[in-house]
Amino acid sequence: MQTRHLTLYLLVLVLVVGMVIMALGGGLFGQQQFWLLQWQHQALANLCHQIADRSFWIGGQPMAVCSRCLGIYGGLAFGWLLLPFAGFWKINSHRSRLLKKLLIAMAVMNLIDIVGNYGSFWENTLTSRLILGGLLGIAAAVLFSGVFFNRKKESTGKYYGKLTTRGI
Amino acid sequence: MENSQQGESDNSQRDASYQPAPSYWMAVTTAGLIFGIIVFVLSLITSYATINSEPTGSFFSPSQFIGVFACLAGAFGGMLATWHYAREYDNIPIKLGKGALIGFLTGVCITIVSVALSQVWQFVDPDMTQKIIDSTIANMEAMDMPDAQKQQMIDVTVEGIRSNNSMGMQLLWGVPINGILNLITGMIGAKIFGQQEG
């Protein structure tokens, strides 16, 4: 199996897993401080509304992000961990376009869910938000399949495996 | 002798064909400024919506949605910066690592710009943080819960608001968190706006 940008892959893996652990909040570590003042909540305060009713609880305390955000970070981390196993995917422009469309579709689905719930067209749940967020996170990670790990090396061209701005 | 001349000729050819990668700072500062201003304006709207809202006694308010969008918007600065870089220079290889670096620096830039503008706004409306605290307390007073619990909740929330609005805390958490998010969106931007060579 050919590997490329392995340092970048590992760096992002550490950062994303770190974000997930932070998102789980102080309940995981049995922190005694009131949850609004815990460092996890303060670190992620600008990224998520952190409404306790819309978050999963762990150890008697709400997580530091809502269920949708947890899904996004968790999905991204899960998908990123799976990238070495998705290395058999052949990189081609058709598949690349498909994955981009998948990511956009997942983002639009989440947006529709937010608007539909806000407009009282339907009521989403903790689980439905977690799943939709998770699909968005996985779609973002899958976009990089065949980039870091590739078992199907078929070209030795000058720019093989590189992204270029040609034709934009 | 002949070999050394051949070597010099190879070197000069390599030098002639070598072109340094164009600077990404223009893309970083442009996206950082644009998204820094967007984040600042949206957070200002959220703050004044909170100040002017009637106490409902609910934890959840529509202004919270705007606040979250403000920060989510900031996460896409890395993508814009990569797109800008890709648009500016045609037909150059752009590595994922460079997309990540552009994204990270844009995240740092967004945080610095939005925090700096917030500090400037303190001169325009020095009482804004206090007004937010007053409005939040009024909202909590209307909540249906035992008085002791309500008072504890108010104390903690006020402490949280003061802490989150301080420049040190905004920079302490804003730089790494915005940096990481924009690093990821910068990589996604490089993947989306670049063209995979197969």
Side-chain angles (χ1 to χ4, degrees):
Chain A
M1 180 166 64
Q2 192 200 20
T3 58
R4 283 190 305 265
H5 316 301
L6 200 58
T7 314
L8 183 63
Y9 172 81
L10 292 172
L11 173 72
V12 175
L13 180 67
V14 168
L15 292 176
V16 173
V17 170
M19 286 286 281
V20 174
I21 293 170
M22 202 193 302
L24 292 173
L28 182 70
F29 307 102
Q31 284 170 236
Q32 297 300 312
Q33 203 177 15
F34 189 71
W35 52 269
L36 265 176
L37 296 177
Q38 288 169 358
W39 66 268
Q40 293 95 332
H41 269 78
Q42 295 204 335
L44 299 168
N46 286 335
L47 291 180
C48 178
H49 51 66
Q50 300 179 322
I51 297 169
D53 289 347
R54 296 170 81 89
S55 309
F56 286 104
W57 287 56
I58 187 166
Q61 297 179 32
M63 292 184 182
V65 292
C66 69
S67 56
R68 191 186 304 276
C69 290
L70 180 73
I72 294 172
Y73 301 138
L76 186 60
F78 178 69
W80 205 260
L81 280 168
L82 288 184
L83 283 182
F85 305 102
F88 55 83
W89 277 29
K90 186 188 162 200
I91 302 171
N92 60 36
S93 55
H94 173 68
R95 180 152 288 158
S96 190
R97 272 198 301 273
L98 205 69
L99 293 175
K100 287 173 196 173
K101 283 178 186 168
L102 180 72
L103 177 64
I104 293 166
M106 289 304 153
V108 170
M109 264 176 69
N110 273 275
L111 204 62
I112 290 171
D113 185 50
I114 293 167
V115 173
N117 183 68
Y118 191 64
S120 303
F121 294 109
W122 59 77
E123 196 173 330
N124 53 30
T125 63
L126 281 176
T127 313
S128 74
R129 291 193 291 269
L130 177 79
I131 292 170
L132 278 178
L135 289 174
L136 177 61
I138 291 172
V142 165
L143 194 65
F144 296 95
S145 58
V147 173
F148 297 104
F149 305 94
N150 192 2
R151 295 169 207 265
K152 291 264 183 183
K153 189 172 187 283
E154 289 180 353
S155 168
T156 52
K158 186 183 172 191
Y159 290 127
Y160 174 70
K162 281 204 172 74
L163 300 161
T164 74
T165 58
R166 188 160 53 188
I168 292 175
Chain B
M1 186 70 175
E2 200 174 299
N3 279 347
S4 95
Q5 278 177 345
Q6 180 69 35
E8 279 174 19
S9 165
D10 283 350
N11 280 340
S12 62
Q13 275 178 6
R14 208 176 298 137
D15 289 345
S17 64
Y18 173 74
Q19 287 179 325
S23 169
Y24 45 74
W25 282 105
M26 180 58 109
V28 168
T29 47
T30 305
L33 266 173
I34 291 172
F35 275 83
I37 291 169
I38 290 173
V39 167
F40 167 69
V41 169
L42 286 177
S43 64
L44 214 57
I45 292 170
T46 313
S47 300
Y48 283 105
T50 305
I51 289 168
N52 295 315
S53 63
E54 291 295 322
T56 58
S58 167
F59 274 111
F60 184 70
S61 71
S63 60
Q64 278 174 306
F65 260 124
I66 310 170
V68 173
F69 274 118
C71 303
L72 278 181
F76 289 95
M79 205 179 268
L80 177 85
T82 324
W83 174 81
H84 184 274
Y85 184 74
R87 288 281 298 198
E88 202 163 349
Y89 307 105
D90 196 20
N91 202 16
I92 52 155
I94 172 172
K95 287 182 180 173
L96 273 183
K98 181 164 274 180
L101 179 65
I102 290 173
F104 178 79
L105 293 172
T106 306
V108 173
C109 201
I110 289 170
T111 308
I112 291 169
V113 169
S114 62
V115 170
L117 288 174
S118 301
Q119 293 306 307
V120 170
W121 194 256
Q122 294 289 323
F123 294 105
V124 178
D125 186 0
D127 300 329
M128 191 179 77
T129 307
Q130 189 55 47
K131 285 179 198 164
I132 294 171
I133 290 170
D134 292 344
S135 172
T136 309
I137 291 174
N139 188 49
M140 287 185 157
E141 293 283 3
M143 283 179 182
D144 186 25
M145 61 169 71
D147 282 348
Q149 195 184 345
K150 198 186 286 180
Q151 192 52 50
Q152 190 194 8
M153 194 100 182
I154 288 170
D155 292 344
V156 164
T157 308
V158 167
E159 198 182 331
I161 292 172
R162 281 196 203 284
S163 166
N164 278 340
N165 280 351
S166 73
M167 190 170 97
M169 287 300 275
Q170 283 178 351
L171 286 174
L172 176 71
W173 293 121
V175 168
I177 298 292
N178 265 339
I180 292 171
L181 279 183
N182 281 284
L183 180 148
I184 294 166
T185 58
M187 278 175 63
I188 293 173
K191 193 76 179 72
I192 288 177
F193 303 123
Q195 194 178 35
Q196 187 76 46
E197 299 283 324

